[in-house]
Amino acid sequence: GAVVSQHPSWVICKSGTSVKIECRSLDFQATTMFWYRQFPKQSLMLMATSNEGSKATYEQGVEKDKFLINHASLTLSTLTVTSAHPEDSSFYICSARELAGGDTGELFFGEGSRLTVL
Amino acid sequence: GQNIDQPTEMTATEGAIVQINCTYQTSGFNGLFWYQQHAGEAPTFLSYNVLDGLEEKGRFSSFLSRSKGYSYLLLKELQMKDSASYLCAVRDSNYQLIWGAGTKLIIKP
C-alpha cells in the first residue's frame, strides 16, 4: 500500500519558536494532502487541505498566518507552526489520498507528530 | 449541521464478538469509512462502504444502511491487540470527510 512518512515524530520547543513538520508520500504522487490536529481523547480535526502548487484551503477557525502550509511538490507538504504557544501542543497528522485507479478515497496517514510547547 | 454519533467507549472479552455502531447526518453521502487508531498513533484504514450491505474482510466486517444513516463495524474473535479507538467517517457531497469522535474499545482477557 501507499506509504506516507511524517517527520519529526516528536518535537519539544520553547514558546515563541516556530516548528516545521514534513509530510512525504514515498511511493505515490499526492496532489492533495490533508493536515489534522488531534487533542487527547478527541477525534481528528481537519485543519487544512494542501494542494500541490496552490494555496492551502483552511478550515474555519484555523489561522492561516499561524499554521503555514506549503505543498511545493507532488510528494512533499510542510506545516509550520509559527510562534508556537503551549495551547498549540497537540498531535498533528498528515494524510494523502492515492488517486490511481478505483478511488475509494482511502486516506494514508503519516505517523503523526507530537508537538509539546513549553 | 453535520453529525456523526458513535459510542464513546465499549468493553468486550477476548475471543468474543463486538459491534460498534455509527449513525450519521450529513450533507450528502459519498461513502463511509472505518479507521482503527491505537493510542499515540495515526489512524489506519479498515473499511469503506458506499452501497448498502455488508463488507467482510477477515475478522472485521462493516455494514451500511444509507436510508437509516447507519453503519456498524463488527469485530470477531477479538484479540488483545484490537484494543484501540475506532473512528467512523463519512464523506459528504463536497467530498469532505466528517469524522466521528471515535469509540474506545477495551478488550479484557
Side-chain angles (χ1 to χ4, degrees), chain A residues 66-83:
Chain A
K66 182 167 185 62
F67 299 99
L68 300 179
I69 292 174
N70 183 279
H71 194 158
S73 77
L74 288 172
T75 58
L76 174 64
S77 177
T78 60
L79 168 68
T80 302
V81 183
T82 62
S83 187

Side-chain angles (χ1 to χ4, degrees), chain A residues 36-100:
Chain A
Y36 294 87
R37 181 168 51 184
Q38 187 177 33
F39 293 105
K41 299 183 180 180
Q42 294 187 23
S43 188
L44 300 170
M45 290 175 54
L46 180 65
M47 298 175 65
T49 302
S50 167
N51 299 295
E52 186 267 336
S54 64
K55 292 183 179 180
T57 303
Y58 289 81
E59 295 300 301
Q60 192 172 10
V62 178
E63 299 175 57
K64 301 178 184 180
D65 296 332
K66 182 167 185 62
F67 299 99
L68 300 179
I69 292 174
N70 183 279
H71 194 158
S73 77
L74 288 172
T75 58
L76 174 64
S77 177
T78 60
L79 168 68
T80 302
V81 183
T82 62
S83 187
H85 292 284
E87 58 265 30
D88 298 324
S89 298
S90 185
F91 191 47
Y92 292 87
I93 310 174
C94 72
S95 71
R97 192 170 72 215
E98 184 180 26
L99 295 178

Side-chain angles (χ1 to χ4, degrees), chain A residues 36 38 43 104-107 110, chain B residues 33 35 37 42 45 91 99-100:
Chain A
Y36 294 87
Q38 187 177 33
S43 188
T104 64
E106 178 183 348
L107 293 176
Chain B
F33 300 81
Y35 282 82
Q37 185 178 25
F45 173 80
R91 191 162 58 181
W99 292 87

Side-chain angles (χ1 to χ4, degrees), chain B:
Chain B
Q2 310 208 85
N3 196 46
I4 309 280
D5 285 316
Q6 48 182 132
T8 304
E9 186 174 297
M10 299 182 70
T11 303
T13 305
E14 189 177 15
I17 300 173
V18 71
Q19 177 175 312
I20 302 174
N21 295 325
C22 171
T23 58
Y24 62 90
Q25 293 175 310
T26 56
S27 302
F29 179 84
N30 280 296
L32 183 144
F33 300 81
W34 283 96
Y35 282 82
Q36 180 191 60
Q37 185 178 25
H38 285 99
E41 298 181 12
T44 55
F45 173 80
L46 289 179
S47 68
Y48 168 73
N49 294 71
V50 66
L51 300 176
D52 291 349
L54 188 69
E55 293 279 345
E56 297 189 75
K57 193 185 290 185
R59 293 189 299 114
F60 293 3
S61 302
S62 57
F63 172 83
L64 173 68
S65 169
R66 288 171 296 171
S67 61
K68 296 182 179 178
Y70 167 70
S71 172
Y72 67 72
L73 179 69
L74 192 72
L75 292 77
K76 305 175 189 175
E77 302 169 18
L78 286 170
Q79 301 174 10
M80 297 303 292
K81 66 178 182 179
D82 297 330
S83 292
S85 286
Y86 291 85
L87 305 173
C88 173
V90 173
R91 191 162 58 181
D92 68 10
S93 57
N94 293 320
Y95 276 71
Q96 294 276 59
L97 265 185
I98 312 300
W99 292 87
T103 298
K104 182 179 180 181
L105 178 62
I106 300 169
I107 310 296
K108 295 185 175 179

